[in-house]
Amino acid sequence: MTKENEKTSKPDVMRAMAKFLSDLWFEDDFRDQPEHLSEIFETILLTEMGDQQDLRIKMISSIRTSKLLAETIGSFSDLEIQNACTRIMNA
């Protein structure tokens, strides 16, 4: 992460986000990630390690973030997402 108040332009941020989404999306089908995380975390919660409050909070936050991202871009086709990311990265 860079320092706060560092001079960056809005297009730089948008290109970086588009690259992140593009890399993430084509790494694995992100539509399935919330279910994968839930399954993994449910298994962890059955162990002694899962009793840790801080870990539970982080797991819930990860699932929430994953669901938000999947819901936000999940209704678009892979081609639409790829084209949008490409346009933003080339802007």
Side-chain angles (χ1 to χ4, degrees), residues 3-90:
K3 296 176 186 174
E4 284 295 320
N5 299 322
E6 195 172 294
K7 299 282 185 198
T8 58
S9 68
K10 185 176 177 180
D12 290 341
V13 174
M14 293 304 293
R15 277 193 287 276
M17 286 301 299
K19 181 167 180 4
F20 166 73
L21 287 175
S22 179
D23 292 348
L24 178 67
W25 194 262
F26 294 105
E27 179 71 28
D28 191 15
D29 190 349
F30 201 82
R31 292 174 184 100
D32 297 330
Q33 289 300 313
E35 290 80 25
H36 293 182
L37 284 173
S38 292
E39 182 181 337
I40 292 165
F41 294 158
E42 284 172 13
T43 302
I44 292 172
L45 289 172
L46 297 174
T47 68
E48 188 175 321
M49 182 189 341
D51 287 339
Q52 296 176 17
Q53 180 87 16
D54 289 341
L55 181 61
R56 286 175 177 258
I57 291 169
K58 289 176 185 175
M59 289 189 291
I60 290 168
S61 177
S62 294
I63 291 170
R64 191 175 304 132
T65 301
S66 179
K67 282 182 180 179
L68 258 172
L69 183 55
E71 288 171 5
T72 300
I73 60 178
S75 63
F76 301 103
S77 72
D78 290 348
L79 184 59
E80 289 173 315
I81 294 167
Q82 181 181 10
N83 288 341
C85 288
T86 300
R87 272 186 260 137
I88 292 170
M89 286 186 290
N90 291 330

